[in-house]
Amino acid sequence: MNEKYLFGGIHVNTLYTLLILFGAAAIIFGLYVMQKKHLSFTKRVLTALVAGILFGTVLQQLFGSESEIIASSNTWISIIGSGYVRLLNMIVIPLVFVAISTSIVNQDANSLKKSALSIILVLMFTTAIAAGLGAGVSTLFGLDSSEILAGEAEAARGQALEDTLTDFQTKSIPEQITEIIPRNVFYAMSGQGSSATLSVVFFAAFLGIVTIGLRRKKPDSAEAFTKFLNMLHDIVMRMVTLVLRFTPYGVFALLSRFVSTSNFSEISRLFEFVVASYLAIFIMFVIHLIILVVYKLNPVKYLKKASVPLSFAFSSRSSAGTLPLNIETQIDKFGVSSGVANLSASLGTSIGQNGCAGIYPGMLAVMIAVGTGVPMDPAFFIKLIIITAISSFGIAGVGGGATFAALTVLSSMGLPVGLVGLLIAIEPLIDMARTALNVSGSMIAGLVSARRLGEIDMATYNKDFNEIEETV
């Protein structure tokens, strides 16, 4: 008893928890001071990212990842991190709705068709490349699922995934695509279902097209409704601006919790897969930059200006949550037109995710094929790339979306899905980089499409990063 309590009856664990919370509060106050001194939004976010990693590492070294002290302190720190992510998720559906609907009613029909088609093609093309890259890296490393020993957690998750597969086996890929059309738009707007975001995109696009068609017969009604949509867009964007001001605090809280609770002994057991995953993701990032060079867009300026949305995507593991930052970056820093930026960012949350729906299923398919003795001839890889590209429609842009992408691809390839549970220990670690790649892919789709269609202000894109006024 004497070892656990101090004078006054204060429990030692309680004292440590209070000290940790005091340290977190001091860092958060420091970020607030930076905001009051009008330091740039980018500097604040990157400072929060580094502070979160360092703070989490210190806690990990002092107490261990499974300590009650860390669990207790993270319960309170999570109010900031989880609360911020919930705020972002709260505005995602309204933002997607107004972004798509206003981008349609404020564009002519021909421009809309070209931009939407271009964005979807770029997303699917880059996802196909990512799938082939993931398969190639997995082959290069000789990854073999039979060499990975499953613990109790992995085995339990594997069984759960086997049970989940029942839902996928009863639905073909065409049926899953058909489900994008919402039976009840209000249900879709509540965020329910894996295709909720795409369902909202479909309804918003349908509403925008109807409004355009109404202009010929009832121009007054169409004009009034267009003004209402634009007014709604202004209100939602104001909400976005207010939420984004909490980004540095959210990034710090999310990363400190992740690092402090990571089990590095489990991660080291699957170290080879982690290295292979990060190598594939890094190469895909390089391919993104090469695509920019092909379209005569400076890749260095892209990296500098995209640092904030990519950093947040890395820490939050949510493509959908990064949507507001994605749109803001494309419009204000890259000079992409509002219509193209809204379309690419919104579609990119559920279509053509290069990391979660491309690289990850590609790597798993090869690793499991090797472990189960499935022959891998050229036809296997061609089938894998095609299925991965097609099945990238409707993947949820939140943490865990990669698992469902893998379920769809593996079941379509006739491979066992239960082995996905073997990677439970490293899932959060690789999901961070995958999500950043997803967001990068959607921005690349927007930039390429805007460049091809003349919907980008090159003066804004080429402007030095320090010259851009940040208002968040």
Side-chain angles (χ1 to χ4, degrees):
M1 295 290 292
N2 293 332
E3 294 180 357
K4 294 184 178 181
Y5 289 89
L6 298 176
F7 295 106
I10 300 177
H11 198 282
V12 171
N13 285 2
T14 301
L15 178 62
Y16 281 134
T17 300
L18 290 175
L19 289 174
I20 291 172
L21 294 179
F22 179 79
I27 294 174
I28 290 172
F29 180 74
L31 295 172
Y32 175 75
V33 171
M34 292 177 67
Q35 180 179 343
K36 284 299 181 181
K37 290 185 177 180
H38 304 290
L39 292 178
S40 72
F41 184 66
T42 303
K43 290 180 180 178
R44 285 183 279 133
V45 170
L46 294 180
T47 299
L49 186 146
V50 174
I53 293 175
L54 294 177
F55 189 70
T57 301
V58 170
L59 296 184
Q60 167 81 253
Q61 295 300 314
L62 289 177
F63 304 105
S65 61
E66 299 180 0
S67 167
E68 292 183 5
I69 298 172
I70 289 183
S72 177
S73 58
N74 278 332
T75 299
W76 292 97
I77 295 175
S78 293
I79 295 176
I80 298 173
S82 300
Y84 176 66
V85 173
R86 290 176 71 92
L87 278 175
L88 284 171
N89 289 332
M90 176 187 74
I91 63 175
V92 163
I93 294 297
L95 179 58
V96 169
F97 174 76
V98 299
I100 298 297
S101 59
T102 56
S103 65
I104 291 175
V105 298
N106 293 324
Q107 288 188 70
D108 61 77
N110 290 330
S111 176
L112 174 66
K113 291 177 183 177
K114 291 179 181 178
S115 58
L117 180 61
S118 176
I119 289 167
I120 292 174
L121 287 177
V122 173
L123 287 171
M124 293 190 67
F125 176 70
T126 53
T127 301
I129 294 176
L133 177 62
V137 170
S138 186
T139 303
L140 178 66
F141 274 72
L143 298 179
D144 185 345
S145 60
S146 65
E147 296 179 355
I148 301 177
L149 299 176
E152 292 183 5
E154 288 85 351
R157 190 183 184 195
Q159 183 58 51
L161 291 175
E162 292 282 7
D163 296 338
T164 303
L165 180 60
T166 303
D167 295 333
F168 284 89
Q169 288 177 328
T170 58
K171 297 177 183 177
S172 63
I173 291 179
E175 288 174 330
Q176 293 176 42
I177 294 175
T178 303
E179 287 189 350
I180 294 173
I181 304 174
R183 292 180 177 178
N184 185 334
V185 67
F186 298 104
Y187 180 78
M189 285 188 170
S190 68
Q192 303 297 317
S194 60
S195 299
T197 303
L198 270 185
S199 295
V200 173
V201 169
F202 179 88
F203 177 74
F206 186 73
L207 183 65
I209 293 171
V210 168
T211 304
I212 292 176
L214 192 63
R215 288 173 181 168
R216 292 192 296 269
K217 296 183 177 180
K218 296 184 178 181
D220 292 339
S221 297
E223 182 180 358
F225 189 66
T226 299
K227 288 182 179 179
F228 170 76
L229 287 176
N230 287 327
M231 177 190 69
L232 192 62
H233 179 270
D234 292 339
I235 293 173
V236 172
M237 292 310 296
R238 179 57 183 168
M239 292 171 57
V240 169
T241 299
L242 292 177
V243 172
L244 290 184
R245 289 179 180 175
F246 296 101
T247 299
Y249 314 109
V251 167
F252 164 72
L254 289 167
L255 270 181
S256 64
R257 178 181 182 182
F258 169 76
V259 175
S260 64
T261 56
S262 294
N263 190 329
F264 292 111
S265 62
E266 288 295 318
I267 292 174
S268 63
R269 184 169 61 87
L270 299 167
F271 181 72
E272 189 176 18
F273 187 86
V274 173
V275 172
S277 297
Y278 269 81
L279 175 62
I281 291 169
F282 174 77
I283 294 174
M284 194 62 205
F285 266 117
V286 173
I287 292 174
H288 284 176
L289 300 182
I290 293 173
I291 292 173
L292 292 178
V293 172
V294 170
Y295 284 90
K296 298 180 180 180
L297 294 168
N298 190 321
V300 176
K301 293 185 182 296
Y302 169 79
L303 290 174
K304 289 181 178 180
K305 296 178 180 182
S307 59
V308 170
L310 294 183
S311 297
F312 179 74
F314 183 83
S315 58
S316 68
R317 298 170 53 206
S318 173
S319 300
T322 314
L323 181 62
L325 284 169
N326 189 337
I327 294 174
E328 184 259 349
T329 299
Q330 287 197 55
I331 295 174
D332 296 341
K333 297 180 181 178
F334 293 149
V336 174
S337 68
S338 176
V340 173
N342 283 304
L343 278 174
S344 63
S346 300
L347 292 175
T349 62
S350 295
I351 296 177
Q353 296 183 354
N354 290 185
C356 291
I359 285 178
Y360 188 61
M363 292 186 67
L364 283 182
V366 170
M367 185 177 75
I368 292 173
V370 171
T372 54
V374 175
M376 295 188 297
D377 52 14
F380 173 89
F381 289 98
I382 294 173
K383 180 182 178 182
L384 173 63
I385 292 172
I386 293 175
I387 288 177
T388 302
I390 295 175
S391 62
S392 67
F393 279 78
I395 299 302
V398 295
T403 298
F404 292 99
L407 283 173
T408 304
V409 172
L410 295 178
S411 60
S412 299
M413 294 288 294
L415 297 171
V417 301
L419 295 176
V420 177
L422 298 176
L423 305 174
I424 185 174
I426 59 172
E427 178 70 16
L429 178 61
I430 57 178
D431 195 38
M432 297 168 79
R434 287 193 312 238
T435 306
L437 185 62
N438 295 341
V439 173
S440 178
S442 69
M443 288 193 288
I444 293 297
L447 284 166
V448 169
S449 299
R451 182 65 165 158
R452 292 179 59 216
L453 302 173
E455 295 281 342
I456 183 172
D457 181 358
M458 290 304 298
T460 299
Y461 184 88
N462 291 322
K463 186 181 295 184
D464 288 341
F465 184 68
N466 294 330
E467 295 178 11
I468 299 175
E469 182 178 355
E470 297 188 85
T471 58
V472 179

